[in-house]
Amino acid sequence: MYFIFFGPPGSGKGTQAKLLSDKLKITHLSTGDILRAKIKDSDKLSLKLNSILSSGNLVSDEIVNETVSESILSDKCKKGFILDGYPRTTSQSNFLISLLKEHNIKLNLIIDFKLEISLMEKRILERSKIEKRSDDNIEIIKNRFKKYILQTQPLANIYKEKFSNIFSELDASEDIKNIHNQIEKLVKNAQI
Ligand code: AP5
């Protein structure tokens, strides 16, 4: 089972990926989580990553591609994965598509979470009270959203055409349970 979740910051792709991965016992591959874990290493790379994530800019394709390919080819992804926050750029997408082809991995479902910016900001600011992520403040949210609109949304639109038979859009403004139920239905109907 191989899934990709697209969506702007705060659209709930991480929340839903976690719920689904727990249910299906497949790996939730969040590049954001992986990068935040790397920051804790306190080495030269972690300082660089910290400054990029805190500004809401994107980490280099090279670093992210290497990290993702290591995970995808590891045993933990043998049963499947949900990619959350990857690919985000054309270069990442090209890398992923050729990696999957090379290893004969066929995507089963791609979900694009749709959410308007006001709700996105509300959710992220709410989360900032509890989680204290360095990029969860109003200035940085705007930059993260800008990056999404410029780089990732066009990519999702390409996937919508290229993988039209496995691509679905979801109204991410609904409640968590409702969205999870919709995703379960999509999974049930997916050709796996
Ligand atoms: P990343 O961690 O991927 O952040 P993001 O894409 O900005 O997404 P979020 O984690 O903010 O939101 P989400 O859609 O997962 O929503 P969530 O479920 O958390 O990336 C962070 C940074 O890492 C990037 O800016 C970049 O620097 C770097 N990075 C990551 N991937 C990269 C890549 N591929 N290339 C280059 N750089 C990369 O929900 C948000 C909140 O809303 C939560 O509090 C949740 O409880 C709540 N919530 C969720 N669903 C609902 C709902 N339906 N109703 C009400 N509340 C909800």
Side-chain angles (χ1 to χ4, degrees):
M1 288 172 275
Y2 302 102
F3 307 142
I4 296 180
F5 286 4
F6 282 112
S11 59
K13 54 192 186 301
T15 302
Q16 295 298 334
K18 181 166 185 347
L19 286 173
L20 189 66
S21 69
D22 286 348
K23 183 140 204 169
L24 299 177
K25 310 270 177 275
I26 57 174
T27 295
H28 172 199
L29 256 183
S30 155
T31 39
D33 286 350
I34 294 171
L35 294 166
R36 279 185 289 278
K38 278 191 189 290
I39 287 176
K40 293 190 182 135
D41 288 348
S42 302
D43 54 14
K44 218 171 158 189
L45 174 65
S46 74
L47 291 175
K48 197 172 148 194
L49 290 177
N50 192 21
S51 125
I52 299 171
L53 264 74
S54 303
S55 64
N57 290 322
L58 294 182
V59 172
S60 77
D61 292 327
E62 202 188 353
I63 292 178
V64 181
N65 286 338
E66 192 185 321
T67 306
V68 170
S69 72
E70 256 174 39
S71 296
I72 285 182
L73 302 179
S74 71
D75 280 353
K76 70 176 181 181
C77 286
K78 274 220 164 104
K79 277 180 72 186
F81 56 68
I82 304 172
L83 288 177
D84 157 18
Y86 181 93
R88 254 168 152 108
T89 65
T90 307
S91 156
Q92 291 177 19
S93 170
N94 293 340
F95 180 86
L96 175 69
I97 302 274
S98 64
L99 183 79
L100 297 182
K101 201 171 168 199
E102 189 187 336
H103 294 276
N104 210 13
I105 296 172
K106 205 167 165 287
L107 292 170
N108 303 106
L109 186 61
I110 302 169
I111 299 181
D112 192 13
F113 289 66
K114 298 285 190 190
L115 190 68
E116 61 179 65
I117 187 162
S118 58
L119 263 180
M120 195 190 103
E121 286 176 352
K122 189 170 167 251
R123 285 184 190 174
I124 293 181
L125 292 177
E126 207 49 50
R127 177 175 65 190
S128 72
K129 293 177 197 160
I130 310 157
E131 287 191 22
K132 313 269 181 242
R133 258 173 65 168
S134 62
D135 57 349
D136 278 354
N137 66 68
I138 198 74
E139 288 280 300
I140 307 301
I141 295 170
K142 289 198 190 315
N143 190 33
R144 286 161 62 194
F145 187 61
K146 194 170 126 200
K147 298 272 174 256
Y148 175 78
I149 294 293
L150 288 176
Q151 309 222 47
T152 312
Q153 198 174 59
L155 199 59
N157 291 337
I158 292 172
Y159 276 60
K160 187 178 179 176
E161 279 195 16
K162 192 175 161 76
F163 297 100
S164 57
N165 54 334
I166 56 165
F167 190 98
S168 289
E169 287 176 355
L170 273 186
D171 175 1
S173 68
E174 296 199 19
D175 69 42
I176 292 176
K177 178 100 186 63
N178 207 333
I179 296 173
H180 178 64
N181 290 342
Q182 290 183 50
I183 293 176
E184 280 202 306
K185 277 193 197 136
L186 291 172
V187 172
K188 219 172 162 183
N189 292 330
Q191 301 210 328
I192 294 170

